Amino acid sequence: MEKIIIAFYLITFALGGFAQQQIENGDFEAWENQGTAEEEPVDWSSLKTADALASTAPSVLSPDTGRNGGTCARLEVKEVPLVGIKANGLLTNGRVHADFNPENGYVFTDPNDPQWHTAFTSRPDSIIGWYKYEPQNGDKGKIEVVLHVSQGSLPFNGTENNMIGRAKFEFTTQQTSWTRFSKEFNYYDPQAPEYILTTIASGDSTISETGSTLWIDDISLVYNTSNIDENNTELTSINASSGELRFFNSNGLSDQNYTVTNIAGQLIQQGECKENVLFTQPSGLYLITITDGLNQFTKKVYVH
Amino acid sequence: MLRILSLFFLISFFSVGQEGTLIGKVSDESGAPLIGASVIYKGDITIGATTDLEGNYKLKLPVGKVRLICRFTDKITDTFNVVIPNNGFIEHDIVLKSYEEVRELEEVQIRVGKFDKKPEDITVSLEVIKPKLIEDKNTRSVETILDQTPGLNIMDGEPQIRGGSGFTFGVGSKVAVIVDDMPLLSGDAGRPEWSFIPVENIKQIEVVKGAGSVLAGSSALSGAIHIRTKYPSTTPKTKINVYSGLYSFPRDTSQIWQDRPSMINGMNFLHSRKIKNWDIVIGGNLNYDEGYIGPPRQDAFIEQSYPDTVSNFSNEQMRSRRARLNFNIRHRSKKYRGLSYGVNGNGMISQSPMIFAWLNDTSGLFQGYPGAVFLHEQTIANIDPFIHFDQETGASHKLRGRLLYTDNNITANQSNNSVLYYGDYQFKRSYKNLADLEFVGGISSSFTDSYAELYAGSGTPDNTLLNVSGYGQIEKKMWEIVNVSLGGRMEYYALNDTVTAIKPIFRAGGNIKLHQETYLRMSYGQGYRFPTITERFIQTGIGNFGVFPNPDLQPETSSNSEVGIKQGVKVGPVYGYLDIAGFWQEYENTIEYLFGFWDPNSPTGAGFKFLNTGRSRVLGIDLSFSGKVRFNKKNEMTFITGYNYILPKTLNPDLIYAYDSNPVEAQGYSFNNTSLNPDGNILKYRFLHNVKADLAYTFDDKFSIGATVKYFSKMENLDLVIEKFEETTEIINTIQNIQYMDYFEENNNGTWIIDARVNYTLNKKHKFALIAANLLNNMYSLRPLKMEAPRSVMFQYSLTIEHKK
């Protein structure tokens, strides 16, 4: 008869022992050293504060108009004509190590200097955010987040074993308007991380193309949590099947709204949470965010 | 056996001829001996003598009435008769009067390559600068007067003859600079030390264009500048010259960087006298020049993150100061006729800015670029002992030595220190029994001991360079109208006892008198320049760029061929020489200074390096017309005019002469891909057309006015990297913008520059002059990123005291 409806609750970790930390200054509203060559978002670093060649590196980072009228980070791949070497549009919450040979460049966590690392002990579910992208000649950008202990680096350069979890999303197609992205974390170790190392790049590593430009804004981490006392939206359960979405909350669904985005971050559907909502999208993985104005809760749902 | 017998008879034939001896002294109207005057037997002009240091001559002549002529620079040639007694002596003293009445064309006596010569005997292209012009233009440093020589350009201190070299910041000069027959290039860098040359005591400057003499050293690839200092006449003389002036503000008022015009003040003095058998000259110079280029001004945006710690100088620090003291002491032996010995010395302390690039091409043409300005404190001194011995046989021996100490204290760890030891023995003789074949030959050696961290690219800051040369040249005059010279030189070099080279070079030249005052000359000369310590081993980082060593740098070689014709001209009151020369120069392994990514393991990675860039050829013509217009006894005009056209081309535009170490992809370097304008294969940093002219009109021996005109055509080609610098600094906002291309495109149309002067001679003691350089206050640049001086106006007062006996 009707298709089997599978209510797919995301795996719920026993998260009680982990805090729910967010990426610092993920909306890129706060900038420091403004008006200088080292102008950067607070808690973020780029080539101009790299540990080498900072004075001869082009400025690949600049503030620009954000998604909601504030500021975002703009990253652009630039070539140094004198030597024909390209500098990728990089931004990190660790630190950049620049080298004349792009293959020897990396971003890293410096555990010994709080300026160049971001302490982090949570285990988020996903990374989400908004972006615009103008790639050149098939170039691709990325956001990559590594949760790790001890030393951390991207590329790993031998630090793979320190990795606790990782999420990586690639920007591949031109997006002239703000587009949402999300990417779940994969975890490789049950222990809590010590640091979060985020890299955002407008070009494809060592083969980046001059002019590839990425605008990025409002990145945040998403948690699946059982902390029901604090957030009514999290009490809302979702049953999803091909044809309908069903929301249920023993405290009622009043004032709760939902949005559905696909895995590429595109908004699919939105509306008020009801017990039965028509949903005609094909099977696949979707992110459903429920908000009541005060709280927000996102669940990853696989619709068969 | 038959030949031996023939020779015997030939000798016997000469020995049995009846002859006697004529002796005498040649002096000027004041009684001062004229040294080097020629006394020639008109019956056979191959018989002649030259006066010695005391003006004496001695001549064996056939018995009977003979007719002789005596000639000397700027003097009326005297013709006289004497009767020579058989096997006896007769004495005849000659007084030569001043030149005013003469109607015969004469140039000053010229000594090229250590020969005393008449201009019609010269086999090379030569320009002469007389001391009057040096003085009239208030020459404070000798390169400024050289710059008006046709075919010779001074590009920011670097001499360039007939386009034979580009621009390498003065390092490894391809033009020899020779003072009193000894080279005066810094031992480690081969850079001319212009301000060190005692300009107040110059007898004459001769510019030889082309590799024209084996005696100038093989490194004179494209020519040589001979500077000769004076010895005293019999009349003691004291001269004091005081000057004061200022630079005008640039014509474009947006370029003004200072509150008031920069000043120039200074004085020089000279005292020369004979005391019995001693010749003594003491001279000196004090010079203060506030300069026309202001200190660097860093962009505030960059300063916040990367404050300039290299060139953060004040206006005061950019000023130049110089004090120099020199002396010549010679003793003429009474005991041994013809023997003289002495010592010359010179010492200078100075401080001046070294400016490599302007701030920008908008409002910063006359200010320095941060990181490209250095302060230079120099202590330099030489001491030159010598012995000369002129034998009665006509043989001449010269033994000369030089110790040249140079200490350059330069900001940003660019200091260097060197000692150069030079020695030269030269023998010269005219062999009458070989039909007056004249021979000059010798051996010379120089040893440079350099200490500089700057040159540690060799592995040590202590570097040495030894050069030993043997040379010989013969000259033969035939049939009274042909003069032929042949020469050779063998060079040996040893650098740090590890790199050695040995190389012979040759030259040949001829001059044929085609007609009265018409002379055809031909010359071929080779050159060989061993790279200097600087070119091979410099290793430094300045700001964001490095300078990298090239221990494998190869010597560069050249050959110069030319044909010239000199024609005396007399049209009404105009007397002069018209000279036309065509030349062909070939260069191999040319050394140039190029930007690349030479060492990714160094802190700067990219920067400059000296490289051999292959083969090139310069063809061209030289035209000059110099002389006088005599209106009457007291009114005359002198003129020196010249036009030089060159066609300098690479012969291998596609040759990849070096690969760099770019970490992404090694870049090959060729003429084509390093040139801003490779079309036509024209070499970089050359002006194809060049005009130089100087006119001076004297009224009533009191007033004179003069003007110099210089024209430099547009620069056809330069390094592409300059444009890339501009693009790069636009992208990297922490490197101050290097801006040149807009200026280049708007202003590279050729430049006319006019200097002017007015002199008033009150009497023999007092003389006043007003001298303007760059009268029209043109804003112009000869080498990229450096402006030449705006107008300067100088007042000069000269006091000359001649102590009559």
Side-chain angles (χ1 to χ4, degrees):
Chain A
M1 52 173 255
E2 64 269 285
K3 294 177 181 175
I4 299 171
I5 300 170
I6 299 174
F8 193 89
Y9 292 98
L10 286 172
I11 299 168
T12 305
F13 288 98
L15 293 175
F18 300 117
Q20 292 188 359
Q21 295 166 283
Q22 268 300 341
I23 287 178
E24 296 169 330
N25 194 24
D27 56 8
F28 304 110
E29 294 302 323
W31 290 68
E32 59 189 348
N33 298 319
Q34 287 175 293
T36 76
E38 295 172 345
E39 181 175 22
E40 289 173 339
V42 173
D43 297 319
W44 293 87
S45 169
S46 184
L47 282 174
K48 299 311 286 186
T49 50
D51 66 347
L53 307 180
S55 65
T56 53
S59 283
V60 295
L61 163 72
S62 59
D64 208 340
T65 304
R67 186 172 67 98
N68 298 313
T71 53
C72 70
R74 179 184 184 278
L75 298 167
E76 181 182 351
V77 179
K78 290 185 178 176
E79 181 176 345
V80 180
L82 201 54
V83 288
I85 295 176
K86 292 170 195 160
N88 202 348
L90 276 180
L91 186 61
T92 178
N93 59 2
R95 193 177 197 191
V96 177
H97 169 75
D99 193 279
F100 292 126
N101 186 347
E103 291 186 357
N104 297 333
Y106 54 88
V107 299
F108 66 103
T109 291
D110 181 353
N112 301 315
D113 188 341
Q115 186 181 357
W116 308 119
H117 70 232
T118 303
F120 192 85
T121 55
S122 300
R123 293 174 67 102
D125 177 64
S126 304
I127 175 86
I128 63 168
W130 296 82
Y131 73 100
K132 292 191 291 184
Y133 191 43
E134 288 181 7
Q136 303 293 323
N137 303 321
D139 202 0
K140 60 182 181 182
K142 72 167 183 178
I143 178 167
E144 186 170 8
V145 186
V146 172
L147 309 174
H148 67 93
V149 295
S150 187
Q151 304 285 341
S153 171
L154 282 172
F156 290 113
N157 296 336
T159 62
E160 294 90 334
N161 293 334
N162 297 335
M163 185 167 62
I164 304 298
R166 179 190 185 196
K168 179 180 178 182
F169 184 85
E170 292 186 337
F171 310 107
T172 56
T173 56
Q174 183 177 24
Q175 301 290 350
T176 56
S177 58
W178 286 104
T179 304
R180 191 173 186 276
F181 71 88
S182 70
K183 185 69 179 178
E184 76 278 19
F185 277 87
N186 291 320
Y187 283 91
Y188 308 95
D189 192 302
Q191 68 175 307
E194 295 174 341
Y195 305 102
I196 183 170
L197 178 62
T198 305
T199 305
I200 306 168
S202 62
D204 187 7
S205 185
T206 60
I207 54 170
S208 57
E209 294 286 336
T210 303
S212 291
T213 307
L214 174 73
W215 291 260
I216 193 152
D217 203 359
D218 293 334
I219 59 172
S220 62
L221 300 169
V222 176
Y223 292 86
N224 284 334
T225 176
S226 59
N227 192 0
I228 58 175
D229 294 336
E230 296 176 359
N231 186 347
N232 190 41
T233 60
E234 296 178 13
L235 296 175
T236 302
S237 64
I238 307 166
N239 285 339
S241 65
S242 178
E244 66 177 349
L245 297 175
R246 291 186 176 186
F247 297 92
F248 175 76
N249 190 317
S250 58
N251 296 328
L253 291 168
S254 61
D255 298 328
Q256 291 194 10
N257 295 302
Y258 74 92
T259 59
V260 181
T261 55
N262 65 15
I263 201 69
Q266 292 172 314
L267 181 64
I268 302 297
Q269 186 170 320
Q270 60 185 357
E272 291 181 20
C273 293
K274 297 177 182 175
E275 290 185 0
N276 193 325
V277 174
L278 184 63
F279 187 73
T280 59
Q281 298 297 319
S283 57
L285 191 61
Y286 295 91
L287 292 170
I288 300 174
T289 301
I290 301 166
T291 177
D292 60 1
L294 296 173
N295 300 296
Q296 178 175 296
F297 181 63
T298 301
K299 288 186 177 182
K300 189 184 300 177
V301 176
Y302 192 86
V303 178
H304 283 279
Chain B
M1 186 64 186
L2 187 62
R3 288 181 181 176
I4 295 171
L5 284 174
S6 301
L7 185 62
F8 174 78
F9 284 122
L10 196 63
I11 294 168
S12 302
F13 173 78
F14 279 119
S15 62
V16 296
Q18 290 183 316
E19 61 181 19
T21 303
L22 174 67
I23 60 171
K25 182 171 185 172
V26 181
S27 57
D28 63 14
E29 301 101 312
S30 69
L34 296 174
I35 303 163
S38 299
V39 183
I40 300 163
Y41 172 42
K42 287 203 80 171
D44 178 356
I45 61 169
T46 63
I47 298 174
T50 304
T51 55
D52 64 13
L53 298 171
E54 293 172 330
N56 296 316
Y57 71 94
K58 182 179 178 184
L59 193 58
K60 292 198 171 186
L61 294 163
V63 170
K65 186 180 178 182
V66 295
R67 188 168 175 81
L68 298 107
I69 58 172
C70 178
R71 57 201 295 181
F72 188 75
T73 307
D74 285 340
K75 300 291 178 190
I76 301 169
T77 299
D78 188 23
T79 305
F80 59 96
N81 298 321
V82 290
V83 178
I84 303 298
N86 188 21
N87 289 324
F89 279 84
I90 187 166
E91 188 169 353
H92 180 88
D93 291 340
I94 306 160
V95 177
L96 294 183
K97 294 181 180 176
S98 60
Y99 193 69
E100 290 173 356
E101 299 301 321
V102 77
R103 287 289 180 267
E104 181 180 340
L105 296 178
E106 287 275 1
E107 284 194 4
V108 292
Q109 184 190 32
I110 292 163
R111 299 159 42 125
V112 175
K114 308 173 187 181
F115 280 116
D116 295 346
K117 284 188 178 304
K118 300 297 296 175
E120 58 264 37
D121 293 337
I122 303 293
T123 59
V124 295
S125 288
L126 183 98
E127 302 289 344
V128 177
I129 300 173
K130 300 178 185 180
K132 184 173 187 308
L133 185 61
I134 298 170
E135 184 184 314
D136 283 355
K137 295 199 75 173
N138 195 42
T139 306
R140 294 178 296 133
S141 187
V142 75
E143 80 275 18
T144 57
I145 196 77
L146 290 168
D147 193 38
Q148 69 175 61
T149 307
L152 168 60
N153 293 328
I154 305 289
M155 196 180 284
D156 197 20
E158 183 170 329
Q160 196 186 70
I161 291 182
R162 289 177 169 171
S165 53
F167 179 66
T168 54
F169 291 100
V171 174
S173 173
K174 295 169 178 64
V175 175
V177 178
I178 296 166
V179 179
D180 289 335
D181 294 333
M182 288 186 280
L184 194 68
L185 297 174
S186 60
D188 48 8
R191 189 199 310 266
E193 301 288 357
W194 298 119
S195 61
F196 183 53
I197 295 169
V199 71
E200 69 279 354
N201 189 34
I202 288 177
K203 178 181 178 185
Q204 181 163 293
I205 299 174
E206 299 142 18
V207 178
V208 180
K209 294 186 268 191
S213 171
V214 296
L215 310 183
S218 66
S219 62
L221 296 188
S222 55
I225 298 165
H226 294 264
I227 296 163
R228 303 184 190 285
T229 60
K230 280 186 284 198
Y231 270 100
S233 64
T234 49
T235 306
K237 182 175 171 183
T238 301
K239 187 166 185 180
I240 296 170
N241 187 29
V242 182
Y243 53 87
S244 180
L246 43 83
Y247 293 103
S248 297
F249 282 137
R251 180 186 282 184
D252 174 2
T253 54
S254 69
Q255 303 293 340
I256 297 170
W257 55 271
Q258 70 273 58
D259 299 330
R260 60 170 177 78
S262 296
M263 295 188 68
I264 308 159
N265 296 306
M267 62 86 69
N268 53 51
F269 73 96
L270 175 74
H271 178 74
S272 71
R273 69 185 309 150
K274 288 179 184 293
I275 303 175
K276 293 183 178 176
N277 276 38
W278 290 91
D279 298 337
I280 297 169
V281 178
I282 299 172
N285 170 240
L286 291 171
N287 188 62
Y288 171 76
D289 187 338
E290 293 181 341
Y292 62 93
I293 296 182
R297 193 188 68 222
Q298 196 177 20
D299 188 303
F301 175 81
I302 300 169
E303 189 176 18
Q304 292 180 65
S305 305
Y306 300 98
D308 179 11
T309 57
V310 173
S311 55
N312 185 23
F313 303 133
S314 63
N315 290 1
E316 171 69 22
Q317 286 174 295
M318 293 291 284
R319 293 169 182 171
S320 299
R321 296 168 176 86
R322 179 174 78 216
R324 177 171 44 72
L325 188 66
N326 58 280
F327 64 88
N328 293 5
I329 300 172
R330 179 173 67 180
H331 182 252
R332 287 167 278 112
S333 173
K334 278 186 175 174
K335 189 173 180 183
Y336 301 100
R337 189 179 171 86
L339 175 67
S340 64
Y341 47 86
V343 61
N344 299 337
N346 191 4
M348 182 179 79
I349 52 172
S350 66
Q351 61 183 57
S352 57
M354 300 166 71
I355 300 151
F356 290 89
W358 66 41
L359 182 63
N360 57 53
D361 63 358
T362 51
S363 61
L365 292 172
F366 291 92
Q367 294 172 80
Y369 180 85
V373 177
F374 306 91
L375 298 185
H376 179 200
E377 290 181 359
Q378 185 180 53
T379 303
I380 181 169
N382 72 286
I383 190 102
D384 302 346
F386 64 88
I387 301 173
H388 293 178
F389 185 45
D390 296 322
Q391 293 177 282
E392 291 190 4
T393 59
S396 164
H397 305 263
K398 292 180 178 175
L399 182 62
R400 292 171 290 217
R402 166 167 290 167
L403 187 153
L404 174 66
Y405 170 82
T406 311
D407 181 38
N408 295 309
N409 187 7
I410 304 172
T411 53
N413 301 316
Q414 304 299 304
S415 299
N416 54 80
N417 176 302
S418 69
V419 181
L420 182 145
Y421 306 88
Y422 178 83
D424 176 58
Y425 166 73
Q426 188 185 100
F427 171 75
K428 177 182 152 188
R429 183 168 181 186
S430 179
Y431 294 90
K432 289 197 180 304
N433 53 1
L434 292 174
D436 281 333
L437 183 78
E438 193 167 2
F439 171 81
V440 60
I443 183 166
S444 64
S445 175
S446 69
F447 178 75
T448 301
D449 188 358
S450 162
Y451 183 86
E453 292 293 340
L454 190 64
Y455 304 143
S458 64
T460 169
D462 206 345
N463 294 286
T464 60
L465 177 61
L466 171 69
N467 172 217
V468 180
S469 316
Y471 57 89
Q473 186 160 302
I474 54 171
E475 287 230 339
K476 176 75 179 77
K477 191 153 188 174
M478 297 177 286
W479 312 301
E480 300 185 28
I481 58 167
V482 175
N483 188 42
V484 177
S485 70
L486 288 170
R489 187 177 181 104
M490 181 68 82
E491 298 279 7
Y492 169 78
Y493 288 93
L495 179 62
N496 288 349
D497 299 326
T498 53
V499 182
T500 59
I502 189 162
K503 173 78 176 176
I505 62 162
F506 300 97
R507 86 153 300 248
N511 190 313
I512 304 171
K513 185 174 181 179
L514 299 176
H515 193 261
Q516 188 68 26
E517 300 295 352
T518 304
Y519 306 93
L520 174 70
R521 66 177 185 275
M522 290 146 285
S523 175
Y524 171 79
Q526 296 177 322
Y528 173 80
R529 196 178 72 81
F530 194 76
T532 60
I533 290 170
T534 303
E535 287 164 289
R536 280 184 191 259
F537 298 138
I538 186 168
Q539 177 179 278
T540 184
I542 305 163
N544 298 307
F545 304 112
V547 183
F548 298 90
N550 184 0
D552 299 323
L553 199 64
Q554 297 301 303
E556 54 185 344
T557 59
S558 73
S559 66
N560 176 78
S561 310
E562 68 175 86
V563 177
I565 190 160
K566 185 183 280 286
Q567 173 66 56
V569 175
K570 180 181 178 302
V571 181
V574 181
Y575 301 80
Y577 276 106
L578 180 66
D579 194 292
I580 305 171
F583 53 88
W584 178 305
Q585 301 172 339
E586 298 260 350
Y587 294 88
E588 287 196 32
N589 280 339
T590 303
I591 296 174
E592 294 181 66
Y593 198 44
L594 284 163
F595 189 90
F597 206 115
W598 303 115
D599 185 3
N601 297 316
S602 74
T604 51
F608 294 92
K609 188 176 183 177
F610 287 96
L611 293 170
N612 295 109
T613 59
R615 297 177 58 218
S616 58
R617 175 180 295 152
V618 184
L619 304 177
I621 56 168
D622 248 339
L623 267 170
S624 72
F625 184 39
S626 303
K628 290 184 179 180
V629 184
R630 291 182 179 278
F631 302 103
N632 52 50
K633 282 185 181 179
K634 291 188 173 181
N635 292 277
E636 68 174 24
M637 184 173 75
T638 58
F639 58 92
I640 305 167
T641 58
Y643 165 73
N644 178 254
Y645 170 72
I646 57 168
L647 192 60
K649 289 193 171 191
T650 178
L651 298 178
N652 41 27
D654 297 315
L655 172 73
I656 304 292
Y657 46 74
Y659 284 92
D660 73 2
S661 302
N662 191 303
V664 176
E665 185 178 7
Q667 168 82 41
Y669 290 86
S670 68
F671 169 85
N672 276 339
N673 70 15
T674 61
S675 291
L676 183 70
N677 176 21
D679 298 343
N681 298 333
I682 302 294
L683 298 173
K684 301 163 189 166
Y685 308 112
R686 265 74 168 188
F687 306 106
L688 269 53
H689 302 270
N690 201 206
V691 175
K692 305 282 178 73
D694 187 84
L695 304 174
Y697 195 101
T698 304
F699 303 90
D700 202 24
D701 283 343
K702 292 279 187 186
F703 270 112
S704 74
I705 58 170
T708 299
V709 177
K710 293 179 280 188
Y711 172 73
F712 306 91
S713 64
K714 69 176 184 178
M715 188 173 280
E716 301 286 335
N717 191 14
L718 45 89
D719 275 306
L720 177 64
V721 72
I722 296 174
E723 186 178 57
K724 288 192 170 182
F725 268 123
E726 184 158 338
E727 294 168 1
T728 296
T729 54
E730 283 173 8
I731 287 175
I732 302 175
N733 60 358
T734 44
I735 301 179
Q736 191 136 336
N737 281 2
I738 292 174
Q739 296 175 346
Y740 178 70
M741 298 315 300
D742 287 346
Y743 177 89
F744 180 71
E745 286 159 10
E746 288 171 20
N747 296 281
N748 187 36
N749 308 311
T751 305
W752 287 96
I753 302 300
I754 298 174
D755 301 339
R757 57 190 185 272
V758 178
N759 297 280
Y760 175 67
T761 305
L762 182 66
N763 52 40
K764 285 187 176 179
K765 275 189 178 180
H766 306 287
K767 184 178 166 188
F768 304 90
L770 195 61
I771 300 138
N774 188 7
L775 182 70
L776 303 179
N777 202 19
N778 284 348
M779 288 173 49
Y780 71 109
S781 169
L782 296 181
R783 67 99 164 149
L785 298 167
K786 174 81 186 289
M787 291 302 287
E788 299 299 314
R791 175 175 50 221
S792 64
V793 179
M794 200 96 64
F795 174 76
Q796 181 195 50
Y797 165 68
S798 300
L799 172 68
T800 305
I801 302 170
E802 297 202 356
H803 311 265
K804 298 288 183 188
K805 285 185 174 178

